């Protein structure tokens, strides 16, 4: 990472730790996605508009069903976010995202990809932050873990391995 980008992981995941939980969970009526698209650097445009492809073998039609508008809470060690989920859930636990889906968080962040037992988990997931940062890659229990690419709105970029939510290695 170059000197301007040496705090890549802290910028992406920890920017909201100083915010109060009530402001994190406050619902915003207007979707700022169009505004963010107009402000994104051109090299990010393709990634920001990318839709995570279907993952063969990840769908379990006998154990999951599709839902729309399910309110979910995703928790990290230092914060939690609420949003609306569209996608697969376990038939035995219809309030638990499991399979492919999309979460529109109330702070205008978006996650699209694999879910397991109510967590961001699997080989492919894309997380768009409202500020223009984007991560695409593997998740393990809500953390970036495995291969991935992180594009920050300030044009910093990291492609490589993540361990427990932090870039690991040169990238």
């Amino acid at each position: 990472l170059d000197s301007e980008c040496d705090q890549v992981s802290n910028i992406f995941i920890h920017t909201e730790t100083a915010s109060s939980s009530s402001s994190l969970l406050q619902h915003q009526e207007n979707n700022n996605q169009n505004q963010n698209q107009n402000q994104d650097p051109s090299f990010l445009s393709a990634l920001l508009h990318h839709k995570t492809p279907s993952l063969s073998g990840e769908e379990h039609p006998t154990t999951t069903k599709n839902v729309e508008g399910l309110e979910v809470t995703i928790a990290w060690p230092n914060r939690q976010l609420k949003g609306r989920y569209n996608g697969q859930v376990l038939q035995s636990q219809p309030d638990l995202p499991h399979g492919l889906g999309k979460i529109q968080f109330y702070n205008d962040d978006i996650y699209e990809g694999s879910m397991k037992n109510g967590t961001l988990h699997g080989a492919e997931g894309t997380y768009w932050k409202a500020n223009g940062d984007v991560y695409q890659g593997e998740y393990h229990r809500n953390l970036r873990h495995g291969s991935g690419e992180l594009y920050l709105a300030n044009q910093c970029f990291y492609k490589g391995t993540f361990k427990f939510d932090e870039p690991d290695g040169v990238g």
Side-chain angles (χ1 to χ4, degrees):
L1 297 175
D2 66 25
S3 61
E4 290 181 18
C5 300
D6 59 359
Q7 296 297 319
V8 121
S9 62
N10 289 331
I11 293 170
F12 183 76
I13 197 70
H14 302 293
T15 54
E16 295 172 4
T17 59
S19 300
S20 70
S21 60
S22 64
S23 67
L24 284 175
L25 303 178
Q26 183 179 9
H27 178 69
Q28 297 178 359
E29 291 296 324
N30 294 331
N31 184 343
N32 292 330
Q33 188 174 11
N34 290 336
Q35 179 184 359
N36 288 338
Q37 290 171 354
N38 294 333
Q39 295 172 355
D40 291 332
S42 60
F43 78 97
L44 286 177
S45 292
L47 184 64
L48 290 171
H49 297 83
H50 178 264
K51 298 293 184 196
T52 304
S54 294
L55 304 172
S56 60
E58 289 292 321
E59 298 182 37
H60 307 284
T62 60
T63 60
T64 62
K65 66 179 182 178
N66 288 321
V67 298
E68 290 187 17
L70 177 67
E71 182 150 336
V72 296
T73 301
I74 301 296
W76 290 268
N78 58 356
R79 69 185 176 125
Q80 64 179 6
L81 291 176
K82 287 188 177 186
R84 292 282 175 191
Y85 174 76
N86 295 328
Q88 296 175 315
V89 295
L90 290 170
Q91 286 183 352
S92 61
Q93 295 177 300
D95 293 338
L96 194 62
H98 189 89
L100 295 178
K102 181 177 182 177
I103 303 171
Q104 172 72 51
F105 292 101
Y106 296 145
N107 72 345
D108 288 328
D109 288 0
I110 297 171
Y111 172 79
E112 186 172 359
S114 298
M115 303 284 294
K116 182 177 180 182
N117 297 322
T119 65
L120 314 182
H121 189 94
E124 283 293 324
T126 304
Y127 194 108
W128 293 268
K129 288 193 71 156
N131 70 0
D133 296 347
V134 179
Y135 171 77
Q136 182 176 24
E138 297 178 66
Y139 278 89
H140 182 77
R141 296 183 182 166
N142 295 337
L143 300 178
R144 298 170 294 176
H145 194 80
S147 297
E149 298 177 13
L150 177 60
Y151 299 86
L152 299 179
N154 69 3
Q155 298 188 14
C156 292
F157 169 79
Y158 175 83
K159 180 179 182 178
T161 303
F162 288 78
K163 286 192 178 176
F164 304 107
D165 219 35
E166 301 292 332
D168 183 55
V170 177

